Amino acid sequence: MAYDNLRAFIKDLQDQGELHTIDIEVDSYLEITEITDRISKQYGKALLFTNVKNSPYPVLINSMGTDKRMSMALGVQDYDQVAEEMQNFMDLANYKGLWNQLKMAPDLYKLSKIFPKKVTSAPCQEVVEEPDLTQLPVLHCWPKDAGPFVTLPLVITKDPETGQQNMGMYRLQVYDKNTTGMHWHMHKDGKEIYEKYRKLGYKRMPVSVALGGDPSLIYSATAPLPKMIDEMLFAGYLRKKPIEVVKCVTNELFVPAEAEFILEGYVELDELRLEGPFGDHTGYYSLADMYPVFHVEKVTRRTSPIYPTTIVGQPPMEDCYIGKATERVFLPLMKLMLPEIVDMHLPFEGVFHNCAIVSIKKSFPKHAQKVMYGLWGMGQMMYTKMIIIVDENVDPHDVSKVMWKVFNNIDPKRDLVLTEGPLDALDHSSNTAYFGHRLGIDATKKWPNEGHTREWPDDIEMSDEIKSMVEAKWREYGFENDPS
């Protein structure tokens, strides 16, 4: 089902037994993190803290912290329902430049029903007030963090050349009542738009930050969409109805009408401040560095808002399931560009960008290497530090079997590919920031024309006839558990 806003999602979580409410006083300094980390590691429920020390606002966390809740956020039973429709969406979205010719393209009618809808009044503007970020229950997550960080912000900017809005998720370190850091990495769209403003000679760049809203909107801010695709349009597609947007009070940006809070302000284009360290999704602290500063001019909000947040650290945590959704939803597009791909798995331990396991239909010598290089040339896949290629009969989600193939199928000199290229800004292992070495592992069965002239042994497998017989007699043996 589609949700109009965050509180509709919360109600559904409660109705389905997926929400645990904590009414005793808790501290946003470390305590909420420790509680949530333990629950995340137990694959537990979403948490709603109603009594947070020094703040009048409740905190929602871990709301998408299992496959079930992530699927609920996307309005589906499982990720594959969205994946099946992704190619159709991309085909339609590429027509947006022909918007004035809508009547000449009847297939675009579907797209017309999911474009953001402008409204003149909105729940997110029920209260307009001077900024005091210390009133928000912003979490100080880990002991060595430089301060409290807003971890689930929808950062909205507008390209000064095209006028297209962008929405991304970039953490905000709270410095004081009305300023935060703006953690724009080198390779992110927000940083690209920031640099455009600088080159055009602007002094300030308008920025608004939404907190909360329909969970599909929150997910869309993290999705690795092509630059021409508007994140709010994508959210409208996911929920099968448009996101309502309203113009900000202090600038020309349009923000989600159903958000809980909106922080309106600007970034000074010649101002940098030390930001970090921060306990990051890699499981390590990302180091302090100089980043732009976000100045908040106004806060608009609901009358009784709920503050949504998340924590990141050593997996599994909530962000793992957001990443898993991206893996499944965008796999069909990867298959479109590399049709030999059968399936893909991004293990939680690889924290999205350190490991990808890919099964392929191998049809020519060194086919695995072709896929490696193809993936490294594909958007954010360029950050993938290790790509493991296995044959189509190997389930990439069965990591034990994958490792069996890696440990037994490779000759290091022949099957390891070492290349240099971009790495995620959070990668701490490389001697150089933003780039380093990446490893490809070809764990497929080797063919004679790949240089393997010895006989390659078959996998040991039982016959299907015997498997079926044993499964049929399983309870006769005295076992009560599932034979699989």
Side-chain angles (χ1 to χ4, degrees), residues 176-233:
D176 51 43
K177 289 185 176 182
N178 62 354
T179 61
T180 79
M182 182 58 73
H183 195 79
W184 280 325
H185 280 175
M186 176 184 292
H187 304 122
K188 302 298 184 182
D189 290 344
K191 178 64 180 298
E192 182 178 328
I193 293 172
Y194 167 80
E195 291 297 341
K196 282 188 178 182
Y197 275 91
R198 287 172 55 85
K199 290 177 182 177
L200 292 171
Y202 287 89
K203 300 298 182 184
R204 288 182 175 180
M205 170 182 175
V207 179
S208 290
V209 175
L211 303 176
D214 173 7
S216 68
L217 187 69
I218 296 172
Y219 169 73
S220 296
T222 73
L225 295 167
K227 292 184 188 300
M228 78 290 288
I229 306 299
D230 186 308
E231 288 80 8
M232 292 194 199
L233 175 67

Side-chain angles (χ1 to χ4, degrees), residues 185-188 281-282 350 353-355 376 379-387 418-439:
H185 280 175
M186 176 184 292
H187 304 122
K188 302 298 184 182
H281 73 274
T282 59
H353 47 74
N354 281 341
C355 182
W376 279 322
Q380 292 190 31
M381 289 298 294
M382 66 179 175
Y383 304 133
T384 310
K385 191 156 61 171
M386 180 185 296
I387 297 177
L418 195 63
T419 182
E420 191 173 50
L423 293 178
D424 190 274
L426 299 179
D427 186 277
H428 63 275
S429 63
S430 175
N431 292 335
T432 50
Y434 305 113
F435 73 95
H437 293 90
R438 303 171 303 191
L439 177 65

Side-chain angles (χ1 to χ4, degrees), residues 155-447:
V155 179
I156 298 165
T157 56
K158 184 164 67 173
D159 190 305
E161 294 177 333
T162 67
Q164 180 176 330
Q165 284 199 172
N166 176 264
M167 184 174 68
M169 190 170 288
Y170 315 104
R171 73 182 189 229
L172 310 174
Q173 180 182 338
V174 176
Y175 294 132
D176 51 43
K177 289 185 176 182
N178 62 354
T179 61
T180 79
M182 182 58 73
H183 195 79
W184 280 325
H185 280 175
M186 176 184 292
H187 304 122
K188 302 298 184 182
D189 290 344
K191 178 64 180 298
E192 182 178 328
I193 293 172
Y194 167 80
E195 291 297 341
K196 282 188 178 182
Y197 275 91
R198 287 172 55 85
K199 290 177 182 177
L200 292 171
Y202 287 89
K203 300 298 182 184
R204 288 182 175 180
M205 170 182 175
V207 179
S208 290
V209 175
L211 303 176
D214 173 7
S216 68
L217 187 69
I218 296 172
Y219 169 73
S220 296
T222 73
L225 295 167
K227 292 184 188 300
M228 78 290 288
I229 306 299
D230 186 308
E231 288 80 8
M232 292 194 199
L233 175 67
F234 182 58
Y237 164 77
L238 291 175
R239 56 191 245 137
K240 302 299 184 287
K241 61 180 180 180
I243 296 289
E244 291 190 344
V245 294
V246 65
K247 193 179 83 65
C248 286
V249 174
T250 63
N251 60 44
E252 299 301 311
L253 297 171
F254 282 83
V255 294
E258 292 284 346
E260 301 294 310
F261 297 87
I262 303 292
L263 313 181
E264 300 184 11
Y266 61 88
V267 166
E268 290 276 7
L269 296 174
D270 60 354
E271 179 185 17
L272 299 176
R273 192 180 302 182
L274 190 68
E275 189 264 10
F278 172 70
D280 225 315
H281 73 274
T282 59
Y284 301 90
Y285 285 94
S286 58
L287 303 180
D289 206 344
M290 304 300 288
Y291 282 91
V293 179
F294 176 46
H295 294 262
V296 183
E297 295 181 286
K298 289 288 182 186
V299 173
T300 73
R301 60 174 175 82
R302 290 174 174 266
T303 303
S304 300
I306 298 167
Y307 177 76
T309 191
T310 191
I311 57 169
V312 291
Q314 295 180 21
M317 281 190 169
E318 183 174 12
D319 61 320
C320 292
Y321 300 95
I322 297 174
K324 180 56 66 175
T326 295
E327 170 201 303
R328 305 322 297 167
V329 169
F330 285 86
L331 178 60
L333 296 183
M334 300 177 72
K335 286 184 174 183
L336 182 67
M337 291 178 274
L338 295 170
E340 57 268 81
I341 290 178
V342 175
D343 200 358
M344 178 178 69
H345 176 47
L346 304 177
F348 287 172
E349 295 80 3
V351 296
F352 314 142
H353 47 74
N354 281 341
C355 182
I357 303 169
V358 182
S359 58
I360 66 167
K361 293 181 180 179
K362 183 174 175 179
S363 58
F364 51 81
K366 297 297 182 181
H367 198 160
Q369 292 191 20
K370 181 258 190 182
V371 174
M372 293 173 195
Y373 287 111
L375 289 171
W376 279 322
M378 195 180 294
Q380 292 190 31
M381 289 298 294
M382 66 179 175
Y383 304 133
T384 310
K385 191 156 61 171
M386 180 185 296
I387 297 177
I388 300 171
I389 307 293
V390 293
D391 288 304
E392 61 183 302
N393 63 338
V394 179
D395 180 2
H397 303 274
D398 185 347
V399 176
S400 177
K401 189 167 185 178
V402 169
M403 289 300 103
W404 173 54
K405 294 295 184 181
V406 169
F407 298 152
N408 287 277
N409 277 11
I410 71 165
D411 174 85
K413 184 176 181 179
R414 180 192 63 209
D415 299 326
L416 300 185
V417 174
L418 195 63
T419 182
E420 191 173 50
L423 293 178
D424 190 274
L426 299 179
D427 186 277
H428 63 275
S429 63
S430 175
N431 292 335
T432 50
Y434 305 113
F435 73 95
H437 293 90
R438 303 171 303 191
L439 177 65
I441 301 176
D442 179 359
T444 62
K445 178 179 178 178
K446 301 306 176 302
W447 297 352

Side-chain angles (χ1 to χ4, degrees), residues 1 3 6-23 45-48 50 60 62-63 68-69 72 306:
M1 63 176 290
Y3 303 99
L6 187 66
R7 51 202 61 220
F9 183 45
I10 292 172
K11 183 180 184 305
D12 198 27
L13 290 172
Q14 189 169 30
D15 290 347
Q16 296 201 34
E18 290 288 331
L19 181 70
H20 180 78
T21 301
I22 297 175
D23 294 321
K45 297 181 179 182
L47 301 174
L48 181 65
T50 63
L60 176 70
N62 202 37
S63 64
K68 178 181 178 180
R69 294 200 296 277
M72 289 171 62
I306 298 167

